[in-house]
Amino acid sequence: MMRVRSIFLAGVVAVAGFAGTLPSSVMAAGDGVKAKSVDWSFYGPFGTFDRAQIKRGWKVYAKVCASCHGLKHVYYRHLLTIGIEPKAMKEMMTSRKMPMIDDAGDAVTRAAKLGDPITAPFANDVAAAKANNGKAPPDLSLIVKARGGGANYIYSLLTGYVTAAACEKEYKGSDGKPLKPESGQSCNTYFPGHIIAMAPPLASEGQVDYDEKGAPKATVSQMAMDVTAFLAWAAEPELEDRKRMGLRVMLFLLILTGLFFVIYRQVWRRVKH
Amino acid sequence: MSANAGHGAPQGTPRGRTANWIERRLPVFSTMEHFSQYPTPKNLNYWWNFGSIAGFVLVAMIVTGIVLAMHYTPHVDHAFNSVERIMRDVNYGWLIRYLHANGGAMFFLVVYIHLFRGLYYGSYKAPREIIWWLGIIILLLMMATAFMGYVLPWGQMSFWAAKVITNLFSAIPWVGESITTWLWGGFTVDNPTLNRFFSLHYLLPFVIVGVVVLHIAALHTVKSGNPLGVEAKTPKDTIPFHPYYTVKDLFGLGVFMLVWAFFVFYAPNFMGHPDNYIPADSLATPAHIVPEWYFLPYYAILRAFTADFFMYWPISWLITAKFAGVIAMFGSLLILFLMPWLDTSEVRSSRFRPIYKIFFWVFVIDTIILGYVGANAPDEVAHIALLGLFDFSTGLTWLTIGEITTFWYFFHFIILVPVIGRMERPRPLPHSISEPVLGGGAVGGGAAAQSRPGPMEKA
Ligand code: HEM
């Protein structure tokens, strides 16, 4: 009896302790607007990435987002592991120049190789900000992990743009006046503060060719979902390995612990305590 | 000369010649026997499992840490990227890193349970004061280690936590600014800071190992306490550590590893903050700077001290509110050192202390609330919500709740603990550990408990 109560109490203390972290992670989501919730294939203890979706997502990234955002922690070779073929990277690898020193000792550039990171298209952050209404587009390699709400937030952001008129009607700035996006700015329901320096990157159906067999229609929502899934892979390429190993480890530990328990009871059988 | 002659003649089980040769020069075998035969009270409950678990986590942290250090680069331009290379390109690097990052948090969880076990069962009372003090020193070293470890990945929270915490020292009158500059190795948190934090983060765990050795040496000198709080008297009260407690500890370890593995494999970033996946940027202050969960209660105490806090009024002519907060934050830990004196009760275990027991649990709740306060913005109105199941407003700001719970924290130690110890009428204590088991039955009332030789073994 005493023992059962002890275990229960230990559980309560542990849960209460962890629950203490909840407010902070909830708080981090954009300005209190709850993100849309998507039933991602990679959620849950057995979740995996949908290969076809990741490939479409790469297409969206390469065609649309890459003109502003880098993906520097991901190397071209990493894309091979998820089934993206070299020919699908070709265009970007030839256009993204990498610096090198040639045989004459001159600083020149060359096309990217498989062993190179997917760099940003700008020389540096200042140039990036200059070209983008004063805000440098952040590197997207970790964006899904770096935002409260994760993939749901990114998807909501990409599909959460509203018109300037709706913005003025719906949202107020910190000064209490209606929010008005200035030239080069846009209004987004999910972005903290709502005024964002990124114009809606996905704006029209069919913006990216989904020409694979059995591919869904390239609606804005579909493209947003696909590129978000791709970015989720980019942020956590180990996810499938991790969950697969996790299942084995948990089963092993469960059996081991059960065994220890049986031995424990056996050893203690004769002890009156 | 017989092999057994001379000083420190090996005793116990007979050994071979080589073993005896070694034993006479280095008492390996008798030490091992000491550990396996260590007479342990036979009535320890599961709360006594957490010490061995903590020892296991310490070793696991050192092993995973050393592997991480093989791939990590302590430089502001490379630290963040090197952690990402560990995550993506080092074989099983993600596993090592998630074990280490979640292991830090699990270490605190285990040690906090271990510490509260001590508070509940009066483990700090004679003759175990030194064990208790060494334990608090371990906790302080762990905090320093974890704080500096958290800075190493050089994300936004790393940087800003380092900034906020080191800035606290600037509140010290006169010398504060110089101390902060000295800690930073410059005029802000920068590369020299990161470098020394790495060096110290590597060093301190080994210092902890040293203190743990002392902690256990002291324990084996005075022997383990137990849930009844009456000392083991006859051999009937104890059993050898091996196999009885080795097997029980293994079971506890298994349960612990299941919890740890759950976080590592299924929720590796649950206890982390998303902002730490943004590289450190000294020009962009995050909207909310929050420490890791195991520091939240202290953070709440620190922030409770504003000019309007009544606990600050009496000293407001002397020091700034910020400095008072810093003192209170460190004081909230240091006050644990005083427990052997603050607790005036002769009875160790809360099982026989009906009043203290209630206030013990109130205190536990108080620290948990302090944790919530630390996680939230002080000027916001506190909502109590659970995963969207319910959500109601308390009508009080987090700051106000923080002030009340901070007050209670110190009120508990400084007033309640000594006063309850004097006033409370403890329930009758059993004569020995075996007595309740063998059905000897408890006798008399509180007075009887007092008339017997006290469990404190004081003169
Ligand atoms: C008392 C034991 C220890 C504790 C409580 C501890 C705690 C921590 C924490 C909380 C982090 C930040 C994790 C993150 O968010 O990424 C960290 C990182 C790190 N620790 Fe430790 N640590 C311990 C022992 C060690 C040892 C012995 C080493 C060996 C050098 C080590 C090496 C590292 C390295 C290289 C990092 C940075 C890599 C990373 O961020 O994952 N740690 N530690």
Side-chain angles (χ1 to χ4, degrees), chain B residues 20-292:
Chain B
N20 276 334
W21 185 90
I22 296 171
E23 173 68 24
R24 256 179 288 120
R25 286 154 180 84
L26 185 72
V28 194
F29 298 96
S30 56
T31 308
M32 269 157 55
E33 269 163 33
H34 164 81
F35 276 98
S36 76
Q37 288 162 9
Y38 174 66
T40 319
K42 61 184 185 178
N43 62 332
L44 300 188
N45 58 23
Y46 282 120
W47 296 111
W48 262 258
N49 272 60
F50 290 88
S52 68
I53 297 176
F56 171 81
V57 187
L58 176 60
V59 174
M61 290 306 285
I62 290 179
V63 172
T64 52
I66 289 173
V67 179
L68 283 174
M70 294 175 188
H71 304 280
Y72 169 80
T73 313
H75 186 287
V76 289
D77 293 337
H78 305 291
F80 189 92
N81 295 342
S82 73
V83 171
E84 274 314 303
R85 299 271 57 81
I86 292 173
M87 293 297 287
R88 291 158 192 268
D89 287 338
V90 172
N91 288 333
Y92 299 105
W94 58 267
L95 177 61
I96 305 283
R97 178 177 181 234
Y98 280 156
L99 279 170
H100 196 79
N102 286 283
M106 296 308 287
F107 199 6
F108 277 94
L109 179 69
V110 167
V111 167
Y112 281 147
I113 294 176
H114 191 61
L115 187 153
F116 276 102
R117 186 283 314 265
L119 286 177
Y120 185 85
Y121 290 108
S123 309
Y124 44 82
K125 293 188 189 180
R128 298 191 179 77
E129 300 93 327
I130 292 188
I131 308 180
W132 176 255
W133 294 331
L134 290 169
I136 299 164
I137 291 172
I138 293 171
L139 178 62
L140 291 170
L141 287 168
M142 274 173 65
M143 292 181 155
T145 307
F147 162 65
M148 289 189 270
Y150 192 60
V151 176
L152 300 186
W154 209 242
Q156 270 290 66
M157 277 299 153
S158 297
F159 179 86
W160 289 97
K163 191 127 188 170
V164 169
I165 301 301
T166 49
N167 249 324
L168 293 179
F169 292 91
S170 69
I172 302 171
W174 310 112
V175 291
E177 296 293 335
S178 324
I179 291 184
T180 347
T181 308
W182 177 72
L183 287 175
W184 285 339
F187 297 100
T188 181
V189 174
D190 207 335
N191 200 47
T193 328
L194 177 60
N195 249 293
R196 62 188 57 191
F197 277 20
F198 179 57
S199 170
L200 293 172
H201 185 69
Y202 209 139
L203 169 70
L204 288 186
F206 296 92
V207 178
I208 296 178
V209 169
V211 185
V212 168
V213 169
L214 297 179
H215 189 70
I216 292 171
L219 173 74
H220 280 234
T221 306
V222 300
K223 306 281 180 289
S224 307
N226 68 81
L228 288 176
V230 294
E231 294 292 295
K233 288 176 186 128
T234 63
K236 264 203 296 194
D237 293 341
T238 62
I239 40 178
F241 193 86
H242 182 73
Y244 295 101
Y245 283 106
T246 30
V247 68
K248 190 179 180 183
D249 280 349
L250 281 175
F251 168 58
L253 205 55
V255 175
F256 167 77
M257 285 201 283
L258 275 165
V259 179
W260 188 10
F262 171 79
F263 281 103
V264 167
F265 293 106
Y266 295 106
N269 294 303
F270 179 77
M271 289 185 272
H273 195 289
D275 279 19
N276 227 25
Y277 283 110
I278 305 171
D281 181 350
S282 59
L283 299 177
T285 319
H288 302 277
I289 302 174
V290 265
E292 298 262 84

Side-chain angles (χ1 to χ4, degrees), chain B residues 321-342:
Chain B
K322 184 181 170 191
F323 188 42
V326 174
I327 293 175
M329 182 176 78
F330 286 110
S332 68
L333 274 162
L334 297 180
I335 202 164
L336 291 169
F337 275 104
L338 303 180
M339 271 315 270
W341 293 288
L342 289 172

Side-chain angles (χ1 to χ4, degrees), chain A residues 20-41:
Chain A
T21 60
L22 283 179
S24 59
S25 43
V26 174
M27 231 161 42
D31 227 32
V33 183
K34 207 174 164 338
K36 302 174 195 174
S37 129
V38 178
D39 190 15
W40 300 104
S41 71

